[in-house]
Amino acid sequence: MIRINILLLILAAFLSSSNTHALVSDFCVADLSRSVSPAGYACKKPPLTVNDFVFSNFKAGNTSNFLNAALNPAFVDQFPGINGLGLSAARLDLDAGGVVPIHSHPGASELVIILQGRITVGFISTDNTVYQKTLMKGDIIVIPQGLLHFQLNAGGNRASAVLTFSSTNPVAQLVDVALFGNNLDSGLVARTTFLDLAQVKKLKAVFGGRG
């Protein structure tokens, strides 16, 4: 009986330590005037209003760029009310020919919810299997955390989607930017990627790399 009681106490301690901040406090609106820590932003001091929990700029972005794409984020830095809640959103707009290059979110899974148009979405598993489909309005696809993935406009008109993430700040690493937006020597990049040196230099010029 004593051993069972000890096990129950250990289990209770484990469950209480695994509770989220939301169980201790209803919410923690981010105080953006203070520096962020690995645990997130400190809580904004009262009084709070309903506007602290509303994001009012979920609109189409400017797609006048070489990707023909725009991302309008509602991450914690733009939407303090989600601080500590483990979720965020963004709006993606793709003009004809628009593309979001292969990238990953190391700390977040992603839902892609199609609003209009046709968007081809694909991701690559760690065994290099490709999961790809062209989606239309009303379709949703999930992209598991950390996997390489992409989105591109599969039609002739503008396409839009809502993206949701399992993190308040889903940091993204774009493969092209990582490879060609750095200051590694171009010869080293060419050797480690098996690309032609001239092509590496051309891509470094596009993505702002040096070396």
Side-chain angles (χ1 to χ4, degrees):
M1 177 64 97
I2 294 175
R3 184 172 296 175
I4 293 175
N5 288 337
I6 292 174
L7 288 173
L8 289 173
L9 287 172
I10 293 172
L11 179 61
F14 173 77
L15 290 174
S16 64
S17 66
S18 64
N19 285 341
T20 63
H21 179 79
L23 296 180
V24 178
S25 177
D26 289 339
F27 43 76
C28 176
V29 175
D31 183 352
L32 299 182
S33 68
R34 300 174 65 179
S35 59
V36 65
S37 74
Y41 283 100
C43 302
K44 182 180 178 181
K45 294 180 179 179
L48 302 175
T49 73
V50 68
N51 290 330
D52 288 302
F53 304 95
V54 175
F55 182 77
S56 299
N57 192 39
F58 214 54
K59 303 173 183 177
N62 182 6
T63 57
S64 298
N65 51 66
F66 76 100
L67 298 176
N68 293 322
L71 187 75
N72 184 8
F75 302 158
V76 67
D77 286 332
Q78 298 82 29
F79 190 8
I82 64 174
N83 187 49
L85 299 182
L87 53 82
S88 61
R91 172 172 171 145
L92 173 66
D93 290 283
L94 298 167
D95 276 342
V99 60
V100 180
I102 292 178
H103 63 287
S104 68
H105 305 288
S109 297
E110 176 180 350
L111 283 178
V112 181
I113 307 166
I114 309 302
L115 297 178
Q116 67 176 7
R118 300 168 66 238
I119 299 178
T120 298
V121 182
F123 64 88
I124 306 168
S125 66
T126 54
D127 65 0
N128 295 321
T129 300
V130 177
Y131 298 88
Q132 173 185 318
K133 188 168 185 176
T134 297
L135 307 174
M136 294 176 287
K137 181 179 179 179
D139 289 338
I140 299 175
I141 188 171
V142 62
I143 300 169
Q145 178 176 328
L147 297 185
L148 293 170
H149 60 283
F150 62 88
Q151 295 103 350
L152 60 88
N153 190 331
N157 300 311
R158 171 170 287 211
S160 302
V162 170
L163 316 178
T164 67
F165 302 91
S166 60
S167 169
T168 58
N169 187 22
V171 176
Q173 184 173 32
L174 274 72
V175 172
D176 291 330
V177 175
L179 287 174
F180 308 113
N182 58 57
N183 60 356
L184 281 174
D185 179 79
S186 294
L188 180 59
V189 176
R191 288 182 62 190
T192 55
T193 60
F194 303 101
L195 293 173
D196 181 81
L197 179 60
Q199 183 67 19
V200 170
K201 291 182 177 180
K202 177 181 177 181
L203 290 168
K204 281 211 167 197
V206 171
F207 289 99
R210 303 186 307 278

